[in-house]
Amino acid sequence: MELHVHRADLDAVVHFGAGLLTTNPSLGSVRVVNQLADLRRMLDSHRGYRPVRDFLAQFDASAKMRLLLLADIMTPRSEGTSP
């Protein structure tokens, strides 16, 4: 998906990302949550595009649920570090 973001193929990112959000949140892992957070950061600069803005709103609601489910095993990521 990162390639689609860099190519500004935002509709493809939103379409694929929406599919990810409809999966069962309990199927996520720490790595998945961190990768989704990276995707959110990449898309934030494109929030002027309404489909991205709508996706980010859905994403934020979904992310809260995933973080609650993984709260016991997640450690906060420092800026500039990777998983």
Side-chain angles (χ1 to χ4, degrees), residues 63-83:
K64 286 179 186 178
M65 175 65 72
R66 289 179 192 275
L67 288 174
L68 285 173
L69 292 171
L70 296 171
D72 291 340
I73 59 174
M74 292 282 297
T75 56
R77 286 177 32 173
S78 299
E79 287 298 316
T81 62
S82 59

Side-chain angles (χ1 to χ4, degrees), residues 5-6 11 44 50 54 67:
V5 173
H6 290 296
D11 290 325
D44 200 45
R50 184 172 182 90
D54 293 345
L67 288 174

Side-chain angles (χ1 to χ4, degrees), residues 1-43:
M1 283 204 304
E2 186 175 344
L3 178 63
H4 290 294
V5 173
H6 290 296
R7 292 174 55 197
D9 189 359
L10 301 176
D11 290 325
V13 175
V14 169
H15 177 74
F16 184 75
L20 290 175
L21 296 182
T22 61
T23 62
N24 186 339
S26 66
L27 296 177
S29 67
V30 172
R31 177 177 279 176
V32 169
V33 168
N34 287 335
Q35 289 174 340
L36 287 171
D38 291 342
L39 174 64
R40 197 215 182 284
R41 279 189 288 281
M42 283 189 286
L43 285 175

